[in-house]
Amino acid sequence: QWAAPRRADFLPFFEDFDRLRCGRVHVSKFCQGIEACGVKLLPADVQELARHFVVPGGDVNYRAFLVTLRSGAFRLLSFAYL
């Protein structure tokens, strides 16, 4: 059974792209962070996932994504393919 990496495993990848440590990154960097964590998603699925966490200005709030992921409100398994 496939399992999503823990929240702690995602954080360094997103922080690499967040120089100001504001908790937000560009959509393209969010996609790169997801991919760097080893989660295999179709590009359209990553865009759909990011859409749920877009803030005014167009960036993705990755901290909100990580909190939601950890809470179990959704599972990446529903998006992932092997």
Side-chain angles (χ1 to χ4, degrees), residues 53 63-74:
F53 299 97
R63 288 185 185 153
F65 163 73
L66 296 175
V67 167
T68 303
L69 183 63
R70 179 132 193 179
S71 75
F74 72 88

Side-chain angles (χ1 to χ4, degrees), residues 25-40:
V25 292
H26 188 271
V27 173
S28 65
K29 299 301 182 187
F30 179 79
C31 296
Q32 288 178 12
I34 294 287
E35 186 177 295
C37 291
V39 178
K40 297 178 181 180

